[in-house]
Amino acid sequence: MGMSVTISAAAAEDVEQIFKLQYLAFQREAELYGNYRIQPLTQTLDSLKGELETDTVLVARLGEEVVGTVRGNVDEDGTAKIAKLCVHPRLQGHGLGARLLRAVEEALQGDGGTTRFRLHTGHKSESNLRLYRKAGYTQVGGRTASDGVRLVILEKEAKSASDFAVSA
């Protein structure tokens, strides 16, 4: 019998698995751009530990193995910034990325102070762009990252408390 993937908040002891998964999962992106200096590949373990302390970090687990992760935080303007969504290559294409995206949106929605969600991906990352568009994100801009990769910036409005009201 197969195990199901569960999504939960990351714990401090997950940091090394997240670090290794991020390095593995972003290899395809690095190859796509011919650039192995992209931030997910150059991030230090200490920097990741810092994000674990300050940001909302979620992991997807298959048994004890971390097979997906995403993180985000909400700024003072109510913009929830989502970053480094990644899924183990052997599990990509099965909806886990979409599940992680929904889970982090729900976690960052929090007390309702979140007004919008923002994320970015490389301009050549068609599967990422497809996922984000399917989840309701639209392009609002672009920029070139410090590593030289052209990024597409996408946003969607957060649901207000009234959007969650249930009618009889």
Side-chain angles (χ1 to χ4, degrees):
M1 182 170 113
M3 288 187 275
S4 63
V5 175
T6 59
I7 297 175
S8 62
E13 57 268 15
D14 295 325
V15 71
E16 287 188 23
Q17 281 195 70
I18 294 169
F19 188 71
K20 289 174 183 174
L21 172 64
Q22 179 176 304
Y23 191 82
L24 175 66
F26 278 94
Q27 291 296 315
R28 194 173 290 166
E29 289 290 300
E31 186 177 322
L32 180 63
Y33 294 96
N35 183 343
Y36 289 85
R37 295 182 333 271
I38 61 174
Q39 203 279 333
L41 298 184
T42 60
Q43 183 176 25
T44 65
L45 185 59
D46 284 341
S47 169
L48 178 57
K49 286 178 183 174
E51 287 179 3
L52 208 64
E53 292 173 9
T54 60
D55 293 359
T56 297
V57 182
L58 301 180
V59 292
R61 295 180 202 283
L62 183 61
E64 296 298 314
E65 180 186 9
V66 173
V67 294
T69 186
V70 64
R71 62 200 81 151
N73 59 60
V74 181
D75 69 15
E76 60 279 349
D77 295 330
T79 300
K81 297 175 181 169
I82 298 171
K84 296 186 185 92
L85 171 64
C86 62
V87 173
H88 193 289
R90 77 175 189 272
L91 295 175
Q92 290 176 2
H94 298 284
L96 185 52
R99 284 182 58 201
L100 278 163
L101 184 58
R102 281 191 307 273
V104 77
E105 287 173 352
E106 289 172 14
L108 293 171
Q109 183 77 40
D111 61 9
T114 301
T115 57
R116 77 182 63 80
F117 298 103
R118 178 180 296 148
L119 47 76
H120 63 265
T121 191
H123 72 287
K124 295 180 186 177
S125 303
E126 286 302 322
S127 62
N128 296 349
L129 288 166
R130 232 183 349 268
L131 167 68
Y132 300 143
R133 288 183 180 126
K134 190 173 179 182
Y137 287 82
T138 56
Q139 183 173 344
V140 296
R143 68 178 176 86
T144 300
S146 60
D147 55 29
V149 173
R150 280 196 352 243
L151 300 174
V152 176
I153 300 169
L154 302 112
E155 286 186 357
K156 80 173 186 181
E157 295 301 309
K159 292 180 176 165
S160 66
S162 63
D163 291 336
F164 291 108
V166 177
S167 60

